[in-house]
Amino acid sequence: MAGAGAAVPEWRPSPNHGTRRGGARPDMVVLHYTGMTDCAAAIERLCDPSAEVSAHYAIDLGGRVLALVPEEARAWHAGVAGWGGVSDVNSHSIGIEIVNPGHELGYPPFAEPQMAALERLLGDIVARHAIRPERVLGHACVAPGRKRDPGEKFDWRRLALLGLSIWLDPAPGPDGNLPADAEAFRREARRFGYPVAAGQGWDAALLAVWQAFAMRFLPAAAAAHAAPTRAGLRHLERLAARWPAAAAGQAEAD
């Protein structure tokens, strides 16, 4: 049932979908930006069979919501991704594309009509599927290093105030600007849900997880390309203690 004031999405069917594997049901939402010049270009690609990419919904600059793939189907939006031990994110999630040219094309702020429309759409989805707010994620969260969307300009705190995501304000502490311990960060990132590969020290893969974490929870640090700090590690520790990811079952990778 649509929430109060929610418009009925405009149907633009995409052929790019399949059956959710292993009987999976949606227990995550993944938010994206389109990374293309405009909505028309994005919809053309999301509906192009040769592109082999899609999402369940897209939101235009003016707040128009387009439905591309039925929620019961497996849209092809996350690609090679993982969260909390789940590797087939597409089978476990609903994907929402927000029209924005992204980092490669200027990356403007997200428009107010888009955010208002997202609030209504997301509220309907999480209520319909009983999705917990900590499982409303960004594409960068589930594919760190490979993806950066929706990026550091996306207002996660705004969604959290409505119970549609999670947020904690950073807490000041001593030695916050000193370098963070890599193994402690690796451990806490994995506990929170990030797909963290085995490695040594601050290798490229772990730095990509740091950047994804910073874009999500420390946007000023992400915009400044700040190195991993003890303050950032403490913030991740607080998040992981409050919202540790529980694997919904290891699935076949995309």
Side-chain angles (χ1 to χ4, degrees):
M1 180 178 296
V8 176
E10 180 181 330
W11 183 239
R12 292 286 186 88
S14 170
N16 301 336
H17 60 84
T19 302
R20 294 184 184 272
R21 298 169 178 165
R25 296 182 179 181
D27 61 11
M28 307 181 212
V29 177
V30 179
L31 304 182
H32 309 251
Y33 63 45
T34 55
M36 302 188 74
T37 54
D38 55 29
C39 184
I43 297 301
E44 181 178 359
R45 177 169 174 76
L46 292 167
C47 295
D48 179 359
S50 67
E52 297 186 342
V53 64
S54 63
H56 294 89
Y57 296 98
I59 303 177
D60 200 355
L61 291 173
R64 180 179 54 148
V65 177
L66 304 173
L68 286 78
V69 173
E71 289 182 9
E72 62 269 20
R74 180 181 183 272
W76 305 339
H77 61 97
V80 178
W83 187 260
V86 174
S87 58
D88 185 358
V89 172
N90 282 341
S91 285
H92 287 265
S93 65
I94 289 173
I96 302 175
E97 291 274 1
I98 306 166
V99 173
N100 185 294
H103 290 85
E104 302 301 322
L105 296 172
Y107 192 38
F110 291 86
E112 171 59 29
Q114 287 182 310
M115 293 300 295
L118 175 62
E119 290 170 357
R120 294 189 292 268
L121 175 63
L122 188 55
D124 286 348
I125 291 170
V126 300
R128 190 159 49 247
H129 297 283
I131 296 173
R132 301 193 304 271
E134 65 268 28
R135 295 180 76 81
V136 177
L137 307 164
H139 201 185
C141 299
V142 300
R146 189 173 66 83
K147 294 294 181 179
R148 291 192 285 172
D149 53 316
E152 68 277 5
K153 292 183 181 180
F154 185 77
D155 195 348
W156 289 100
R157 186 175 184 274
R158 171 174 173 163
L159 296 184
L161 290 172
L162 295 173
L164 300 175
S165 185
I166 59 169
W167 182 266
L168 290 177
D169 289 325
D175 304 326
N177 290 325
L178 292 178
D181 178 74
E183 296 316 306
F185 184 86
R186 191 185 305 275
R187 180 186 65 248
E188 294 302 310
R190 187 177 291 117
R191 182 160 73 114
F192 186 55
Y194 288 103
V196 182
Q200 294 291 327
W202 285 105
D203 56 20
L206 192 62
L207 284 171
V209 176
W210 161 261
Q211 185 65 15
F213 162 72
M215 285 191 292
R216 174 70 176 77
F217 292 104
L218 301 170
H225 303 287
T229 62
R230 290 187 186 177
L233 172 57
R234 284 198 296 268
H235 195 47
L236 176 58
E237 288 171 341
R238 293 170 63 216
L239 290 160
R242 185 164 177 180
W243 293 291
Q250 194 73 15
E252 180 184 352
D254 292 307

